[in-house]
Amino acid sequence: MPEGELQLTSPLIDVPGIGDRLARDLATLNLRAVGQLVAHLPHRHEREESEAPIADLEPETLASARGEITACRLSGFGKRSRFEAVLHDGTARLDLVWFNAPYLRGKLHPGEHLRVQGKVKRYKSGIQIANPRFEIIDPDSETSPDAADARLRPVYPASERVTSRAIELAVKRTLPIALPLIEDHLPEALRRDRNLPELREAYRMQHEPADEDELGAGRRRLAYDELMLMQLGVAMKRHHLRDTQRAPALRSSEVVHRRIRDRLPFELTTSQRRVVGELTDDLTRDVPTNRMVQGDVGSGKTMVALYAMLLAVESGHQAALMAPTEILAEQHFESISRTLGGDGPTVELLTGAASDADRARILTRLASGEIDLLIGTHALLTESVAFKSLAVAIIDEQHRFGVQQRSKLRAKGEAAGEDGIDLTPHVIVMTATPIPRTLSITCGVRSMPSSPAASPLARSLERCCTPKRCCSSII
């Protein structure tokens, strides 16, 4: 196929210089198309010095040379073993030694050609490199890319079947064809404002960096794209949730709050009252909330969660609390049951340890609306669990649940509304140790790069998310 007809989706076998065998080997790494190979970035770079004849190597310098092994031997045992080899290139002799590497006895033999790099030391009357990096080369084939020049050599994620050098050779043959095909999705003004290189240049800088500055600039651009696309995905998902779904708007009045406070065994702290106020502001709207309550162990997150659950009960709905372990679920059940007493809302515990009879009884009462608050573990996610009207779903230690598991709990309260807009419960997650990614996702676009006035993209993201309604509450 002519080079002009190649696309990023073209198979690698169509790239001139990549044969059937190399294409098959690359396919084992799921590298089948031109674009996939370009996107296969090095996981690190090594400084590769320019090659020099062995006779010109200077002691106490980092050097690179190539030659033929004329002799080798293994001496010692275990951690005291030494594998030694003698390398000749026609100009002089270079001694090589690897410590504690007996496996090299079956890998390196006289007659093989090596390219080595390491720090040169004086050894007896000659020179030596200890524990050099090496590459077995074929003197009759094409040498490795730019082998004679000092450079930053890319080291790719590889396998036993396809080496990093083979991937590097394939990339070198593919880049001239692939780079012109890459279209930049960021406008020039935005790139200039943020000092970002073009996308095709960023990929070139990762595969063939001229220096450390280029390497850093390319990595910064690709990292920017990754974070931006993640933020776009979060904003689009939030925008979709708020435009296509509606949550039950819970009732809030002084009478309702007085009834709830009268059930609590103690006065809420100032921080707890502040968080309860933030939650109430969310739960009384018909826009699905997605808030994280963060607080140290013992700070009172459970009482705040109970307050939100009781708001749902006061409005004629149900609430659920899911914990990652049976022990934690039982602790929540005992604490909430003790707080509410025997004459309050009905509370039940559902875990994997429940007997068939108890489970059937709970599921029947849950579907009919007789159970107000359900506390449990992953057992809440099974298909047989059905709520009559789930308005508030609370997830404790949320980082121990997967995305799909959290979505399943939310789906337990989804129903078709009379106006055609789906109903979905409010979701509150609790944690004592939020990870940075959790905070960034919860806070949404507030972590986007600054200068929204100069960025149409940032402004569009801001319209998709109201930061006040997406942030975490800290007790």
Side-chain angles (χ1 to χ4, degrees):
M1 179 182 294
E3 291 185 13
E5 298 181 15
L6 287 176
Q7 302 296 324
L8 293 176
T9 55
S10 300
L12 289 173
I13 189 64
D14 292 340
V15 177
I18 296 184
D20 292 343
R21 180 177 177 180
L22 180 55
R24 287 196 303 269
D25 290 344
L26 291 171
T28 63
L29 294 176
N30 199 32
L31 302 176
R32 297 180 173 86
V34 171
Q36 290 176 322
L37 182 61
V38 175
H40 188 70
L41 300 177
H43 60 75
R44 61 186 173 91
H45 291 76
E46 293 180 346
R47 170 63 64 179
E48 191 170 78
E49 299 300 322
S50 57
E51 289 182 10
I54 294 177
D56 295 341
L57 300 185
E58 295 289 337
E60 303 304 323
T61 61
L62 186 66
S64 180
R66 66 173 60 206
E68 180 183 355
I69 297 177
T70 57
C72 54
R73 68 171 182 170
L74 177 67
S75 60
F77 300 93
K79 293 184 179 180
R80 295 180 180 272
S81 66
R82 296 162 52 100
F83 185 82
E84 299 172 283
V86 178
L87 197 70
H88 274 278
D89 68 347
T91 66
R93 160 181 171 159
L94 174 63
D95 291 308
L96 308 173
V97 59
W98 291 267
F99 298 98
N100 189 24
Y103 67 91
L104 291 178
R105 179 173 56 181
K107 192 170 185 178
L108 301 181
H109 308 281
E112 288 183 315
H113 289 255
L114 294 184
R115 184 176 190 274
V116 298
Q117 178 172 305
K119 189 170 184 179
V120 181
K121 297 278 189 179
R122 293 192 182 277
Y123 179 69
K124 295 182 179 179
S125 59
I127 54 176
Q128 179 191 75
I129 298 180
N131 298 314
R133 293 201 303 269
F134 72 92
E135 174 193 3
I136 300 176
I137 59 176
D138 184 352
D140 297 326
S141 65
E142 180 183 348
T143 59
S144 57
D146 302 324
D149 300 322
R151 65 186 183 116
L152 287 169
R153 181 172 69 87
V155 180
Y156 294 91
S159 66
E160 292 185 2
R161 185 165 176 177
V162 55
T163 65
S164 174
R165 285 288 192 181
I167 297 173
E168 181 184 358
L169 182 60
V171 169
K172 184 175 180 63
R173 290 168 173 167
T174 304
L175 278 185
I177 300 170
L179 292 182
L181 301 175
I182 298 177
E183 296 182 4
D184 205 319
H185 46 260
L186 295 183
E188 182 181 355
L190 188 146
R191 296 198 309 268
R192 185 171 59 249
D193 182 55
R194 285 162 173 75
N195 194 27
L196 298 172
E198 282 190 90
L199 187 57
R200 60 171 60 98
E201 269 296 284
Y203 278 109
R204 196 272 305 165
M205 291 172 178
Q206 290 301 290
H207 292 295
E208 297 179 345
D211 50 39
E212 293 282 355
D213 290 340
E214 276 202 354
L215 184 61
R219 185 184 296 117
R220 179 173 174 269
R221 167 62 202 270
L222 296 180
Y224 182 93
D225 280 21
E226 183 176 348
L227 292 173
M228 182 198 69
L229 290 175
M230 183 185 74
Q231 293 283 17
L232 272 174
V234 172
M236 291 172 64
K237 184 175 181 180
R238 183 177 292 117
H239 184 65
H240 171 77
L241 175 67
R242 294 182 174 184
D243 270 14
T244 63
Q245 294 183 320
R246 184 172 297 164
L250 305 185
R251 294 197 302 268
S252 174
S253 66
E254 183 56 37
V255 174
V256 169
H257 288 288
R258 188 184 307 115
R259 281 203 297 263
I260 295 177
R261 289 195 298 268
D262 289 344
R263 293 185 182 279
L264 302 182
F266 52 79
E267 290 289 331
L268 297 179
T269 66
T270 301
S271 294
Q272 288 173 332
R273 288 196 300 271
R274 174 179 52 79
V275 173
V276 164
E278 294 173 356
L279 289 176
T280 300
D281 182 55
D282 281 355
L283 300 176
T284 54
R285 302 171 186 261
D286 62 1
V287 178
T289 188
N290 186 28
R291 182 176 287 270
M292 181 177 70
V293 177
Q294 173 197 352
D296 294 335
V297 175
S299 61
K301 295 189 297 296
T302 302
M303 285 298 104
V304 171
L306 176 58
Y307 202 106
M309 297 168 77
L310 291 177
L311 274 176
V313 175
E314 288 288 342
S315 300
H317 300 286
Q318 296 166 297
L321 191 158
M322 185 170 67
T325 65
E326 290 188 5
I327 293 178
L328 187 54
E330 290 171 358
Q331 289 176 346
H332 282 313
F333 174 71
E334 293 174 1
S335 172
I336 291 175
S337 298
R338 186 169 55 251
T339 298
L340 297 179
D343 60 345
T346 55
V347 186
E348 286 287 355
L349 174 68
L350 181 62
T351 67
S355 65
D356 291 343
D358 286 343
R359 180 180 178 83
R361 175 184 57 82
I362 291 173
L363 295 184
T364 300
R365 299 181 65 218
L366 184 69
S368 66
E370 297 177 52
I371 295 176
D372 297 312
L373 310 178
L374 183 63
I375 300 169
T377 56
H378 297 76
L380 271 61
L381 304 178
T382 57
E383 293 183 3
S384 57
V385 176
F387 293 81
K388 182 181 180 181
S389 179
L390 179 62
V392 175
I394 297 175
I395 303 173
D396 194 15
E397 298 295 335
Q398 62 88 27
H399 59 278
R400 298 177 65 177
F401 292 96
V403 174
Q404 292 184 349
Q405 291 171 324
R406 296 195 295 269
S407 297
K408 281 184 178 180
L409 183 59
R410 180 191 291 272
K412 294 293 181 182
E414 292 182 351
E418 296 179 356
D419 55 1
I421 299 180
D422 293 338
L423 290 176
T424 188
H426 298 284
V427 176
I428 301 169
V429 299
M430 301 191 300
T431 184
T433 55
I435 59 176
R437 185 173 182 273
T438 302
L439 287 173
S440 67
I441 290 177
T442 305
C443 294
V445 300
R446 293 196 300 171
S447 59
M448 283 292 292
S450 59
S451 198
S455 170
L457 174 64
R459 288 200 302 272
S460 66
L461 287 176
E462 295 253 357
R463 289 194 293 269
C464 293
C465 169
T466 306
K468 178 180 181 297
R469 310 257 347 276
C470 306
C471 62
S472 60
S473 296
I474 302 177
I475 296 180

